[in-house]
Amino acid sequence: MLTKFETKSNRVKGLSFHSKRPWILASLHSGVIQLWDYRMGTLIDRFDEHDGPVRGVHFHKSQPLFVSGGDDYKIKVWNYKMHRCLFTLLGHLDYIRTVQFHHEYPWIVSASDDQTIRIWNWQSRTCISVLTGHNHYVMCATFHPKEDLVVSASLDQTVRVWDIGALRKKTVSPADDILRLSQMNTDLFGGVDAIVKYVLEGHDRGVNWAAFHPTLPLIVSGADDRQVKLWRMNDTKAWEVDTLRGHMNNVSCVMFHAKQDIIVSNSEDKSIRVWDVTRRTGIQTFRREHDRFWILASHPEMNLLAAGHDSGMIVFKLERERPAFAVSGDSLFYAKDRFLRYYEFSNQRDTQVIQIRRPGSTSLNQSPRTLSYSPTENAVLICSDVDGGSYELYCIPKDSISRGDSVHDARRGIGGSAVFVARNRFAVLDKSSNQVLVKNLNNEVVKKSLLPIAADAIFYAGTGNLLCRAEDRVVIFDLQQRMVLGDLQTPFIKYVVWSNDMESVALLSKHAIIIASKKLVHQCTLHETIRVKSGAWDDNGVFIYTTLNHIKYCLPNGDGGIIRTLDVPIYITKVSGNTIFCLDRDGKNRAIVVDATEYIFKLSLFRKRYDHVMSMIKSSQLCGQAVIAYLQQKGFPEVALHFVKDERTRFNLALESGNIQIAVASATAIDEKDHWYRLGVEALRQGNAGIVEYAYQKTKNFERLSFLYLVTGNMEKLSKMLKIAEVKNDVMGQFHNALYLGNVRERVKILENVGHLPLAYITAKVHGLQEEAERLAAELGDNLPSLPEGKVPSLLMPPTPVMCGGDWPLLRVMKGIFDGGLDNIGRGTADEEYEAADGDWGEELDMVDADDLQNGDVTAILEDGEGGEENEEEGGWDLEDLELPPEADTPRASVNARSSVFVAPTPGMPVSQIWTQRSSLAAEHAAAGNFETAMRLLNRQLGIKNFAPLKSMFLDLQAGSHTYLRAFSSTPVITLAVERGWSESASPNVRRPPALVFNFSQLEEKLKAGYKATTAGKFTEGLRLFISILHTIPLVVVDSRREVDEVKELVIIVKEYVLGLQMELKRREIKDNPVRQQELAAYFTHCNLQLPHLRLALLNAMSVCFKAKNLATAANFARRLLETNPTNENQARTARQVLQAAERNMTDASQLDYDFRNPFVICGATYVPIYRGQKDVSCPYCSSRFVPSQEGQLCTVCDLAVVGADASGLLCSPSQIR
Amino acid sequence: MATATAPDHLFNLRNNFYLGAYQAAINNSDLPNLSPDDAIERDSLVYRSYIALGSYQLVINEIDSSAATPLQAVKLLALYLSSPDNKESTISSLKEWLADPAIGNNPILRLIAGIIFMHEQDYNEALKHTNAGGTLELHALNVQIFLKMHRSDYAERQLRVMQQIDEDHTLTQLANAWLNLAVGGAKIQEAYLIFQDFSEKYQMTSLILNGRAVCCMHMGNFDEAETLLLEALNKDAKDPETLANLVVCCLHLGKPPSRFLSQLKLSHPDHILIKRATAAEESFDRAVQSVA
């Protein structure tokens, strides 16, 4: 039993849950009805109008009403919003035991000790039916949740089921009620509205309670015979099914559980018992020490129960509802019912993985509590309370992820909690010895470690680390170092949530959230008044969590707030952007989209990402006092300024942020003295004299204004002030101004005017105004004051200000950030333009370095021929040696003692050697570093004699066949052979062929590049590419026969291009022989080229011949060109023009060795046509044709093989050998 | 299996050293309250870190004749690696010490002997001193020697011994990865996971990144390998293995490896890749001659 809330009070006789709000009504023996908020644990209201005990109470499903019935024979209907009783229904003649609203009609059913059940219409406030038949107190009466039935229990030892169908028919519309009033009265006590359908007899004592099953035709009853009886009914009869014995005293109340197949009963024996409906056995008993139980109530929608007893009541749950789950990347594993399920966040797909619980485990709270998942091993650890805490380890087969009906065998063990600490290790807490056992996936203990604190649970804390929880603290413990990495005093922590980067951790206790770093350095604590349920980190480092009724956020600085309210508790599994993924209490996955603006805004402020702040303000969806207050409180009045429309607030914020311009504007709009004054003060602080002056002028504060003029040295304005003072007849002001101005004459005048003649005289005298002094002396006559002797008077002049007028220079920083911020958004960078170099078909005369290729490096001198031979010998010898099975040596090896007995094993065979043994592919031999055999193979297969061009390929193959692994420090590195065609299922120790650095797709790329270069007219480049393809092919290995054919095809394609391009380059070389030029151009057109290239070649040959006045030949090319249907209109036009010009004069100026009618091939060396039927020889590799005189020479096309040599053919795939 | 209780103060230091975070090992070596034995182990790890970083002279200068045997052994290694001229004299004094029954059995001395003879490619001699094992380091070295000898069956036996001692120890895991890589096939994936575990758990070092990259290459995933290696290059632009593996990786990706190759030639002219390349060139020329 999970107690959620408890009260202490007088005996509780009646209970009722509110269907929507977290409220419960408790009616007491003392006559008081209490309204509690069981979530917050507060008493909301109390209703005290009944006289004597209140036994029945019930909330209305939708209206703000509840009904109560008491020992004062009164039924009272209350409005809890108005905090008062609306009316009282009178009629019962004895104590009222229960009252209940109908779920649909405006009815109340009441059971009373007067042996009747009454049905009332609370709208017309009348009794509409009296059900008589019981011949003792009726202890309870309730409506059926769907049908027109009432069940009642009475001390006459019967349970009765009443059919009220007739009553319903009579009162279809409430308007009828009044009409029927008189009729009803006649029916009183003899009514046919409600008839007894069944009388259930079987209890030996008075029955205290009877209740319907919410969906099935079942009734359960509890009686003073200490028994609970289960009854079944059909349309015609009802019968007793079974009796549940176990209570030691009168059963007070009994009911079916709405969501599980269980019955809950309570009794005066101070216990609550839970029974299995199908097996009819007791599952669990909860006892109280001193209190007899009187009443039970269940929540209409949630999984909550309440029980009233002698000294209060409890609100409780029978089973935990939190589904166990584990999140890993995009996937969520969770336990639901008997299954482990798998949910993908990205596509919201939900699949059942495996069955995890044997069916039939009946006891409560045995379902999975926590779940831990290891993604690489695809293993799940499930902890539950079975056997006082145990775990089950399931390895999920990869292929059965979608369908799993069978029960998988789990590896089990006992332990407080179990959690993965590494890919293939999990830790199990052994509470009794306070140890952690680290186990592998075979459930074998690998390591044991004593924990630094007495922990009662362990959580994951990064690979190899554990977070251990004790009552009052948590520590992070490194299992390998056996050291405490972090320690934090906390309330009792229930859940631990790590941020995605594992840098921060949120520790959730019942009423607090503590955010700490990965070393458990405390960052902030948030307190909640209601239970914290779950949480997850979003990608920005904001912690999103749920309480019973809210989704909230917590920023890294500890600021929190509400995102939205919740109807039912949810368990957050992941936060992604503004989508919150969660599991609800039914184990269903939900994705809730929330408005993240507020917390993202606050986060941006906190992180000082003012550009974000600005853009959010601009697209402002957030506003309101809360944000403004927050900004002000956090010291961002200048940001708040952007939100505010109200001038007064704006003025205040402007002053706070020192933004004088806005303050002036607001002050002008408000135009109140106080605001002007405050503006003046702020302006003065900032040294903005202009605004100060303006503000003083507005407030008509002349003294301050004068003083301002004085300190800023504005004498002109000061004189004006003097005038103003004079006009206003403000003598003091006048005098001050005169004093500031140093105007003695004026001062004398003022003093004289106000009658201070002696003062005026002294002033005049002292400052040497003799005339005035004498005049005043005359006026004063005898009263002439005497002046002190020996003093030298001087005129007191105010010091000149350092800077006259104007404002002080200001240093503004914030302005830049926030005002500038608006402009900087969305400035793109200019795209880089890439200019392709123009190809040029006409003028490129670069020679290929063919000569170098031919002659270079062949003459390399071999100094150490013998050494090489020796190496070879050694290799061969090693090989023989290693045919011995390694086992032969093993018995001699002694591992235990370091002694001379130990004989080191003979070295094994390097992988490269295995490669050469198995392969007859040249490339693999080259990769293995066995160049000689590679060459011999190539020679035999392709007749290759010239290896110089292949040197770099050989070296690359050899270099690419091994990787390097630094193993132990300061030791030689290990070289590792890289193998080809790796797959997950490849068995170890079976050597596959070497990985080669050349592959067919690279060649295809090169071919494309070669085509491109040809199109662009970069012949040298193109030739280089084509030749390199020809040079690579002997060292390429492909898998299938089909690919072998492709490779062979490629040789032919490339050879044609090489020959063609060689001729074209040759043609450009010879300038002085137009005939030869034409011939070569003509031959070029007979190479097997791609259509665009053929067109270009034809165009070229056509223009060459046309220029040389060989019009007939040119016309032939033009015709051929037109036959290709050139897409380029220019080409076609030129061809047509040539054709036209040629038709007029079909002659050739010079004779060419070219007969296009007679099919021919071109000799690769001499570039002469070899017509069909003429003898020729060919290159064994590239199959280029040559005139017979070239036999024995190096092929000029591929530059590798000897023309006319014997060869077995290209071998480039293991499939050819098999 | 005894329950371990006492904190392991040298854990981080050892880990850093084994995983190639030598500077971190040196920087975080100031540990309080070490037992004398631990202190010697600490010192030898620190000096070996310096050796790994190439600061041979510092080690030679700092270890004087009064230092403990393990440190003397470390000094020998520094002497041996510092210059080819020292090799002979170092080996002879090494042999002398090994013959001394008083100190000849010291695990560090034997370890150093194993390393030096490995450099000499005299695996029999190396194994003579290391085969008996005794410490995880010695076993790990054995694994490596056997791998060098292409005897993965023996290496596996050593590994099993290590796993019995401490399966989760960094060295055990490392040795497991080496062996997995050497035997190839499906085991490569396991090696990859081991290196990945390391990278999640400890600071990234070029050793770990190289390990992962090598696994990737062996699984045919050269693109990922390149990313990892470039990350490693970022950490240490002169790490020879990074450069060597980059050369290999570039070759497979069809990219020119010349830049990395010349970098490697400049900074580590005696690296095995360079040696292999030179030898290959010679053997090519020889082969041309003999085929001609």
Side-chain angles (χ1 to χ4, degrees), chain A residues 55-253:
Chain A
R55 299 179 190 272
V57 70
H58 193 234
F59 264 122
H60 194 275
K61 201 174 150 195
S62 48
Q63 306 280 336
L65 301 176
F66 69 89
V67 58
S68 65
D71 286 3
D72 53 2
Y73 313 171
K74 285 174 186 163
I75 295 171
K76 283 176 177 285
V77 176
W78 309 74
N79 183 317
Y80 57 75
K81 273 192 184 160
M82 294 152 80
H83 312 285
R84 67 182 180 87
C85 173
L86 296 178
F87 53 87
T88 304
L89 300 169
L90 296 171
H92 275 300
L93 308 167
D94 205 338
Y95 295 176
I96 294 162
R97 293 283 176 174
T98 64
V99 283
Q100 188 200 12
F101 278 112
H102 194 272
H103 55 277
E104 203 175 336
Y105 304 120
W107 293 351
I108 293 165
V109 64
S110 60
S112 165
D113 285 1
D114 66 5
Q115 306 185 7
T116 65
I117 299 156
R118 287 175 194 240
I119 297 175
W120 311 77
N121 184 317
W122 56 264
Q123 283 178 338
S124 61
R125 302 178 188 184
T126 51
C127 175
I128 54 171
S129 186
V130 180
L131 283 61
T132 55
H134 279 299
N135 44 36
H136 206 306
Y137 300 168
V138 185
M139 298 301 285
C140 109
T142 49
F143 287 117
H144 191 278
K146 292 189 182 68
E147 293 167 47
D148 292 324
L149 295 174
V150 168
V151 66
S152 63
S154 163
L155 292 191
D156 66 5
Q157 304 183 11
T158 65
V159 172
R160 284 172 193 243
V161 179
W162 309 77
D163 188 341
I164 53 166
L167 180 69
R168 184 180 61 84
K169 281 187 194 117
K170 273 167 92 176
T171 56
V172 220
S173 83
D176 283 356
D177 278 352
I178 300 138
L179 295 174
R180 279 191 330 99
L181 255 178
S182 51
Q183 181 201 347
M184 188 207 68
N185 282 332
T186 60
D187 289 344
L188 207 62
F189 294 100
V192 288
D193 296 340
I195 50 165
V196 178
K197 204 171 174 197
Y198 315 117
V199 179
L200 306 175
E201 291 174 316
H203 281 293
D204 302 332
R205 297 278 190 90
V207 189
N208 288 320
W209 204 268
F212 286 115
H213 191 279
T215 48
L216 301 170
L218 293 175
I219 293 167
V220 65
S221 62
D224 288 349
D225 60 4
R226 304 174 182 184
Q227 291 175 0
V228 171
K229 279 189 189 289
L230 188 61
W231 315 81
R232 181 178 278 276
M233 58 183 178
N234 60 19
D235 285 343
T236 52
K237 61 179 197 290
W239 63 96
E240 183 182 332
V241 178
D242 213 340
T243 305
L244 308 172
R245 292 182 181 84
H247 277 297
M248 322 285 278
N249 206 334
N250 302 345
V251 180
S252 343
C253 189

Side-chain angles (χ1 to χ4, degrees), chain A residues 705-715 718 739-741 798-799 801:
Chain A
L705 204 50
S706 298
F707 195 72
L708 175 74
Y709 291 142
L710 172 69
V711 295
T712 53
N714 197 334
M715 290 305 169
L718 209 49
L739 196 63
Y740 296 157
L741 281 164

Side-chain angles (χ1 to χ4, degrees), chain A residues 423 425 435 446 480-482 862 868 886 904-906 908 958 960 963-964 968 970 972-973 977 982 986 989 991, chain B residues 1 3 6 8 11 119 124 144 148-149 151 167-168 182-183 185-186 189 197 201-202 218 241 245 252 276 286:
Chain A
R423 174 170 57 90
R425 294 282 181 279
Q435 276 186 347
V446 178
Q480 280 183 302
Q481 295 188 62
R482 299 183 293 279
L862 192 69
T906 48
Q958 193 259 357
T963 56
Y964 303 91
F968 210 66
S970 302
V973 291
W982 180 85
N989 269 324
R991 292 298 163 190
Chain B
M1 195 167 329
T3 307
D8 183 357
F11 180 85
H119 277 283
N124 284 342
Q144 195 183 348
K148 271 273 178 196
M149 296 170 78
R151 292 305 297 261
E167 196 177 345
D168 289 337
V183 298
Q189 181 114 28
D197 280 353
K201 218 161 136 187
Y202 306 112
H218 283 247
E241 275 68 56
N245 284 324
H252 281 275
R276 267 169 53 95
R286 250 190 338 262

